[in-house]
Amino acid sequence: MSGQVGDLSPKQAYALTQFRVRIQDILPDLPAQHDQYLLRWLRARSFHVAKAEAMIRKHIDFRRNMKVDTIISDWTPPEVIRRYVSGGMCGYDKEGSPIWYDVIGPLDPKGLLMSATKQDFMRTKIRNIEMLQRECRHQSNKLGRNVESVTLIYDCEGLGLKHLWKPAIETYGEILTMFEENYPEGLKRVFLIKAPRLFPMAYNLIKHFLCEETRRKLIVLGGNWQEVLRKHVDAEQLPVAYGGTRTDPDGDPRCRTMINYGGTVPRSYYVQNFIKAQYDTSVTISRGAVLQLDYHVSAPCSLLRWQFSSDGADIGFGVYKRTEEGSEQKVAAMLEVVPSERYNAHLVPEDNMITCAEPGMSTVSFSPRGSATRWRCFLLHCEHIRPDRTRLTPT
């Protein structure tokens, strides 16, 4: 049995019933509640109900932390990402699924990662996925049948050593992991076209981020790639540049109004080119160690602001609230306020803040990760600012 609606074994049907009962409390927080949507999570965990429940509950936390429900309307990617990250949605396959194009050649990984934070790239990808999911729902309503996945055409022409830069591979791996954990069954198939000789090396670097089911959906096409694409996509839905008849209104065969082709990022976008500041503190942190800085928030609606960079590698950072005043408490026992993530602060200094709704003790935590043995973390600012704008030093 396929595990799809209408093709369930008795065991699969029972698992679906149990799954719905066990997640009854979070159903209103999900983007959809119908069986087709819930079955995606069960298939991703081979109909193991407890594992599927753990996966979808983690997804609810992800949606809340990343503000996924409003990311399309309330957040816009930085200009450098909008202009220089290639790709876009263009047309539908013969079954009505949206088609997304990733165009690797024009990408400038180093320029992009020197100009925007890893978190901005992650939010951009989430925003794109949510837009595609919304398009799938639109197609489902329009066609009267369930459309839940996307066809991806991955144009590998121009893939080179610059794309195998370690920070770029790490960032891409984190994005793939995020996709696998939060959008199961989101891909119908992936066509890889114009793959150069370097492709096997590139694939070996990222394949461990992909589950076995996703790997099976990868289709590497040879010299007849245009013919194969036309078997799955009607010519009028396929750009002329990819073997179809579709053009932009002005006749552009590459459909640039829908597919961005990126390019080399001008150095004027590089964030470090503008940072001319003396850091307040330089701290060396050993691998496996954690640096905690405590701030006593004495007034509600105060701001907690941080600015930092790291030397040589990215670094983990999170913000927590102590649940026990006046005692030593490890981060794991605190209330998570800003989830710990890896920041490419060795390329782009981090600058952000939160509003502390209630008084209490807040803790910022730095945690090195990776193969290096020691990190230097430069603290430009890490401060608590009261509503009257008075700055307080850490306790």
Side-chain angles (χ1 to χ4, degrees):
M1 296 293 184
S2 67
Q4 302 278 353
V5 170
D7 190 30
L8 298 176
S9 68
K11 185 176 180 180
Q12 290 171 338
Y14 179 74
L16 175 60
T17 300
Q18 291 300 303
F19 185 49
R20 183 178 286 277
V21 169
R22 291 176 67 150
I23 63 169
Q24 195 68 35
D25 60 311
I26 61 170
L27 281 175
D29 299 321
L30 295 172
Q33 301 179 25
H34 50 69
D35 287 350
Q36 290 96 332
Y37 179 75
L38 298 184
L39 284 168
R40 291 167 62 176
W41 301 88
L42 285 166
R43 290 196 300 271
R45 290 296 180 265
S46 302
F47 281 83
H48 191 294
V49 175
K51 291 181 179 180
E53 179 187 0
M55 185 182 186
I56 202 168
R57 288 187 182 278
K58 187 176 179 181
H59 175 66
I60 289 295
D61 293 336
F62 164 82
R63 297 188 72 87
R64 182 182 66 253
N65 292 333
M66 301 302 295
K67 301 180 181 178
V68 173
D69 292 333
T70 58
I71 198 167
I72 296 176
S73 59
D74 293 355
W75 186 78
T76 301
E79 178 183 297
V80 68
I81 291 180
R82 298 197 307 271
R83 295 187 64 178
Y84 294 100
V85 171
S86 55
M89 192 199 114
C90 181
Y92 307 89
D93 66 19
K94 290 186 177 182
E95 296 169 329
S97 295
I99 302 173
W100 182 270
Y101 292 79
D102 267 341
V103 188
I104 187 66
L107 275 176
D108 176 12
K110 186 171 184 178
L112 287 165
L113 285 172
M114 294 290 285
S115 305
T117 68
K118 188 186 297 184
Q119 281 63 35
D120 282 335
F121 288 108
M122 187 71 74
R123 291 188 189 98
T124 299
K125 183 55 66 174
I126 294 168
R127 190 174 188 270
N128 290 341
I129 296 170
E130 287 294 316
M131 291 174 68
L132 287 167
Q133 293 285 298
R134 186 171 67 179
E135 192 63 29
C136 285
R137 292 191 290 271
H138 172 75
Q139 286 292 95
S140 297
N141 294 331
K142 177 182 176 181
L143 301 175
R145 61 175 183 271
N146 186 46
V147 177
E148 63 181 11
S149 56
V150 175
T151 289
L152 173 61
I153 297 177
Y154 202 88
D155 185 346
C156 300
E157 185 175 26
L159 174 67
L161 290 176
K162 70 175 183 179
H163 301 106
L164 306 187
W165 186 46
K166 189 171 183 289
I169 292 294
E170 290 175 347
T171 300
Y172 194 50
E174 289 184 38
I175 290 173
L176 288 174
T177 299
M178 177 277 297
F179 181 80
E180 294 274 81
E181 292 177 348
N182 292 283
Y183 297 95
E185 303 288 307
L187 283 177
K188 179 190 292 186
R189 60 179 70 92
V190 181
F191 293 113
L192 296 121
I193 63 174
K194 298 183 275 186
R197 291 182 179 180
L198 191 65
F199 173 76
M201 180 190 300
Y203 178 65
N204 283 334
L205 291 173
I206 60 94
K207 67 179 182 181
H208 62 281
F209 296 108
L210 305 172
C211 69
E212 186 58 37
E213 181 62 26
T214 299
R215 293 184 198 181
R216 285 197 289 266
K217 294 176 181 178
L218 302 180
I219 306 169
V220 181
L221 303 183
N224 66 336
W225 60 268
Q226 293 187 352
E227 178 185 342
V228 175
L229 289 182
R230 286 193 294 267
K231 290 180 180 179
H232 296 272
V233 184
D234 290 328
E236 62 269 21
Q237 294 292 326
L238 196 62
V240 170
Y242 290 97
T245 61
R246 185 169 189 155
T247 65
D248 270 344
D250 63 359
D252 182 0
R254 298 173 73 84
C255 295
R256 286 181 175 86
T257 61
M258 291 167 277
I259 304 172
N260 185 22
Y261 287 86
T264 302
V265 177
R267 287 184 173 270
S268 58
Y269 282 101
Y270 286 24
V271 175
Q272 287 187 340
N273 289 351
F274 309 64
I275 301 297
K276 305 294 182 184
Q278 293 295 318
Y279 287 89
D280 294 343
T281 308
S282 174
V283 181
T284 300
I285 315 172
S286 300
R287 182 173 59 185
V290 176
L291 171 65
Q292 292 183 201
L293 299 175
D294 296 334
Y295 293 83
H296 186 266
V297 179
S298 57
C301 300
S302 297
L303 296 178
L304 185 65
R305 183 186 184 187
W306 54 89
Q307 293 177 294
F308 64 86
S309 67
S310 59
D311 183 22
D314 59 5
I315 193 165
F317 174 79
V319 181
Y320 304 83
K321 184 175 181 180
R322 287 180 175 270
T323 56
E324 299 176 7
E325 295 291 342
S327 64
E328 291 294 328
Q329 189 175 22
K330 293 185 177 181
V331 162
M334 298 182 194
L335 178 65
E336 190 177 64
V337 179
V338 176
S340 181
E341 297 183 61
R342 293 174 66 179
Y343 288 79
N344 59 324
H346 59 308
L347 304 175
V348 178
E350 178 64 15
D351 184 348
N352 213 330
M353 68 178 69
I354 58 169
T355 300
C356 303
E358 301 174 350
M361 188 71 77
S362 292
T363 297
V364 298
S365 171
F366 294 92
S367 52
R369 312 175 194 180
S371 57
T373 56
R374 299 175 77 82
W375 280 252
R376 278 193 298 164
C377 182
F378 303 94
L379 304 182
L380 179 59
H381 285 298
C382 203
E383 59 192 3
H384 160 226
I385 309 173
R386 293 195 316 214
D388 60 5
R389 317 308 283 183
T390 301
R391 294 179 176 178
L392 303 180
T393 57
T395 58

